[in-house]
Amino acid sequence: MISRDCLQQSSLMAYKNVYQLLGVAFIVGLASGRALKADEDASPRIGIIGGGIGGTSTAFFLRQLYGPKLTIDVFEAQKVGGRTSLIRVNGEDYEAGGTIIHKKNIIYEFQDKGMAFTTTEDMLRAMGDDLLNMTRHTMNESLQHIGLSQRFIDEFAAAAVKDNYGQTLNAHGFLGVVSLMAVEPDLWAIQDGNKRMAELLLRESKANLIKGSVNTVALIKDNLGTGSVSYELDYTKATPGSDKETSESREYDIVVVAAPLNEGSKNKISFADFPRDVVTFKQDYHKLISMFVQGKVNTTAFDVGSQNELPAEIISIAPGCFFNSLKKMTPVSPNSKPDTPLKPEEAVWRVFFNKDPTEEEINNLFVSHSDLRLVDWWAYPEYQAGADLPPFMLYDRLYYVNAVEAAASAMETALIGGRNVALLAYNQWHGHFDKIDEVQLPSPAENEETKKSEL
Ligand SMILES: Cc1cc2nc3c(=O)[nH]c(=O)nc-3n(C[C@H](O)[C@H](O)[C@H](O)COP(=O)(O)OP(=O)(O)OC[C@H]3O[C@@H](n4cnc5c(N)ncnc54)[C@H](O)[C@@H]3O)c2cc1C
Ligand SMILES: *[C@@H]1O[C@H](CO)[C@@H](O)[C@H](O)[C@H]1NC(C)=O
Ligand SMILES: *[C@@H]1O[C@H](CO)[C@@H](O)[C@H](O)[C@H]1NC(C)=O
Ligand SMILES: *[C@@H]1O[C@H](CO)[C@@H](O)[C@H](O)[C@H]1NC(C)=O
């Protein structure tokens, strides 16, 4: 039976279902950053490892910066979209990973000016010392410090971080703020699935997609002091229509790692022939099991009279509870069942667990069910106050987009990380050092001028 702990401390939150549907226009909006003037002669060969939002946005922004001549290869071991993907339950598609988008971030002002940051720390500092400080203290401390009541923190903020990141008030304060933004009413999602974002970014970037898993990044030429390097990527390619795998390699001037450097990762990347360690930090990832099920919730367990009385979402913040949250899902393509509201017992629920659920636990939550799917994720980092914030630069012309996840993992931060790495690579290639780690925002007057010249 569901432990009393789960119920005593459950915070029941009914979310408004805020699926504002966006189309391609959103993607075009992403492109609104002003392209810097491309240098015609110098076109580096660029290899990007990972075809999630981080890797495809890096490709997209690099194309904007360098123009049409540049060669960009994107390696993807599994599916473009990465942690944004769909799952089919009872004939409808649902978001299996990244679900909601919150759109508001001051870092865009810097990025619109072509500014880049070499570390997550510098990026946060540019947005304000308070934000950087928040990564060094727990969510509990940080939210108290900005004046939120202990009761709000214990009941609401704890539920927000549990639902969004499977974690507790011991996570760092910056994640706490991001978690709270993720339960605000004005949230977005992409029609037909958030993975379209990565697909469209890739298409617009005109990069070559290479379906293969990169095993090794080797430093094969290092003209010390000049910054000029060459890398070889060794990768395993699946042969279509057979089990045969082939090993191949390619050479690049710039390499972008756009996948978590997580010990447990299925497609682990190793680094060879460097004069020093390139991964000098530890980024542990949080295991999350996401269960999709069409079924009838055990109303007794939640103390309601009928299926109709169930809220849209139930979150448990009790430390001993076996599940994190239970949420009624909306399919990503609402057109597929026009205007026929689902009967409550036809609803599809998504349940998050921090460990594999037992059959008994599932049966306690659902008195009956038909379709049941489990998805296993290395979902996001384990967030600890004061932990290392990894750099965006691992070596000369070797970059790491997922450093940004140490601040907060989200579709939007993946985009910000991707754009930062594109700007960083470009600025370093062209010696635009004044546009790296500079924190001054232009004055309002200067802003006006820019707008006029763009018109
Ligand atoms: C269950 C879940 C719910 C979430 N909910 C939300 C949400 O509601 N809102 C939100 O904003 N964010 C959410 N997120 C987080 C968000 O989905 C991620 O932060 C974001 O999608 C990460 O994008 P990425 O490109 O950095 O990484 P990924 O999407 O992980 O992309 C990395 C890609 O690299 C590939 N790869 C890895 N190693 C190799 C290799 N050696 N060679 C070649 N390819 C390789 C992988 O296959 C993968 O496709 C959620 C995540 C999960 C798991
Ligand atoms: C949060 O801080 C308060 C006061 O400092 C403390 O009493 C409480 O136990 C803390 N809660 C958690 C979950 O750490
Ligand atoms: C940093 O955050 C902690 C905890 O929220 C707070 O006590 C401290 O005053 C902050 N320091 C600065 C310099 O803002
Ligand atoms: C429903 O939940 C209650 C309370 O947790 C439990 O006692 C009961 O066995 C559950 N019902 C089923 C059919 O599992």
Side-chain angles (χ1 to χ4, degrees):
M1 89 171 228
I2 292 175
S3 73
R4 283 176 60 81
D5 280 353
C6 290
L7 301 179
Q8 270 171 353
Q9 288 187 44
S10 270
S11 121
L12 301 175
M13 296 174 32
Y15 285 22
K16 248 191 336 192
N17 236 326
V18 275
Y19 263 65
Q20 301 202 20
L21 304 171
L22 312 155
V24 186
F26 177 65
I27 300 295
V28 176
L30 296 175
S32 66
R34 211 154 48 93
L36 300 173
K37 199 167 161 283
D39 186 321
E40 300 292 8
D41 349 289
S43 288
R45 300 160 297 174
I46 303 184
I48 299 175
I49 309 170
I53 293 173
T56 56
S57 65
T58 306
F60 176 88
F61 289 114
L62 281 169
R63 175 66 67 206
Q64 272 207 323
L65 291 164
Y66 279 96
K69 275 166 77 182
L70 183 73
T71 303
I72 308 173
D73 291 340
V74 172
F75 293 86
E76 174 49 60
Q78 293 172 43
K79 264 193 245 161
V80 170
R83 275 172 279 168
T84 54
S85 72
L86 297 177
I87 187 163
R88 181 155 277 229
V89 185
N90 196 39
E92 298 271 6
D93 289 329
Y94 297 87
E95 289 292 355
T99 310
I100 49 172
I101 300 167
H102 182 280
K103 195 177 161 293
K104 183 168 188 268
N105 205 302
I106 55 172
I107 199 71
Y108 298 134
E109 294 176 44
F110 293 97
Q111 298 193 321
D112 287 347
K113 286 277 158 196
M115 291 176 189
F117 301 92
T118 47
T119 67
T120 316
E121 210 165 315
D122 287 309
M123 184 185 270
L124 286 171
R125 194 180 289 117
M127 294 194 288
D129 284 332
D130 300 352
L131 296 183
L132 179 58
N133 188 36
M134 282 186 167
T135 66
R136 297 180 172 146
H137 296 272
T138 65
M139 195 175 151
N140 194 21
E141 290 163 350
S142 302
L143 298 183
Q144 281 168 29
H145 186 64
I146 59 172
L148 297 177
S149 76
Q150 195 62 50
R151 180 149 187 229
F152 178 86
I153 295 169
D154 287 344
E155 296 184 6
F156 196 85
V161 75
K162 186 69 173 284
D163 185 31
N164 284 297
Y165 294 101
Q167 297 174 49
T168 67
L169 293 175
N170 286 325
H172 66 57
F174 186 77
L175 193 79
V177 171
V178 172
S179 301
L180 285 173
M181 297 199 315
V183 293
E184 280 182 350
D186 197 15
L187 302 169
W188 302 74
I190 310 257
Q191 184 162 20
D192 299 331
N194 294 324
K195 74 182 174 73
R196 287 193 63 214
M197 204 177 342
E199 290 167 357
L200 290 171
L201 285 165
L202 182 68
R203 192 186 73 195
E204 293 300 308
S205 78
K206 299 194 169 61
N208 313 309
L209 175 65
I210 299 177
K211 292 183 177 168
S213 177
V214 174
N215 307 310
T216 312
V217 178
L219 179 68
I220 53 172
K221 197 181 87 197
D222 191 358
N223 295 331
L224 285 172
T226 65
S228 160
V229 287
S230 295
Y231 292 108
E232 184 181 280
L233 299 193
D234 299 323
Y235 61 100
T236 311
K237 219 172 133 184
T239 321
S242 91
D243 313 337
K244 235 185 74 194
E245 286 183 337
T246 53
S247 291
E248 295 181 12
S249 64
R250 290 194 185 201
E251 258 186 57
Y252 298 96
D253 306 299
I254 294 176
V255 168
V256 175
V257 178
L261 291 170
N262 161 30
E263 278 299 314
S265 162
K266 231 191 292 184
N267 303 97
K268 208 165 172 272
I269 302 163
S270 54
F271 297 87
D273 306 328
F274 286 83
R276 59 162 174 86
D277 279 350
V278 291
V279 185
T280 53
F281 49 86
K282 204 162 163 6
Q283 239 184 338
D284 286 330
Y285 273 64
H286 185 89
K287 192 82 167 173
L288 189 92
I289 288 91
S290 180
M291 179 176 89
F292 288 82
V293 57
Q294 185 189 38
K296 231 171 162 174
V297 174
N298 177 356
T299 49
T300 321
F302 296 107
D303 210 14
V304 295
S306 72
Q307 298 290 315
N308 283 321
E309 290 166 51
L310 286 163
E313 175 152 27
I314 297 168
I315 304 166
S316 175
I317 53 173
C321 185
F322 66 90
F323 71 94
N324 300 353
S325 62
L326 192 77
K327 180 184 170 116
K328 203 185 280 183
M329 297 297 281
T330 311
V332 295
S333 308
N335 295 339
S336 52
K337 263 201 185 150
D339 302 330
T340 31
L342 283 179
K343 294 197 202 102
E345 62 273 21
E346 287 172 349
V348 170
W349 295 85
R350 182 193 70 191
V351 190
F352 282 160
F353 302 92
N354 281 342
K355 59 175 177 49
D356 286 315
T358 64
E359 215 169 303
E360 200 187 336
E361 286 166 346
I362 296 172
N363 291 336
N364 269 310
L365 291 174
F366 294 92
V367 289
S368 66
H369 59 78
S370 47
D371 225 348
L372 186 148
R373 311 287 168 100
L374 291 168
V375 191
D376 211 308
W377 295 105
W378 285 113
Y380 6 70
E382 294 287 0
Y383 289 96
Q384 268 169 15
D388 289 346
L389 296 174
F392 287 108
M393 222 184 129
L394 301 175
Y395 200 76
D396 283 331
R397 294 180 183 160
L398 173 62
Y399 302 97
Y400 181 41
V401 175
N402 297 72
V404 77
E405 282 192 83
S409 173
M411 291 179 269
E412 188 187 8
T413 53
L415 260 166
I416 291 170
R419 190 172 179 192
N420 181 60
V421 161
L423 286 165
L424 187 58
Y426 181 83
N427 289 343
Q428 286 180 336
W429 185 264
H430 290 289
H432 298 160
F433 300 116
D434 57 323
K435 292 207 155 150
I436 299 172
D437 296 335
E438 286 291 322
V439 296
Q440 267 98 24
L441 263 188
S443 68
E446 227 178 298
N447 250 333
E448 273 311 300
E449 229 156 79
T450 319
K451 267 190 206 131
K452 272 186 218 129
S453 65
E454 269 170 341
L455 291 175

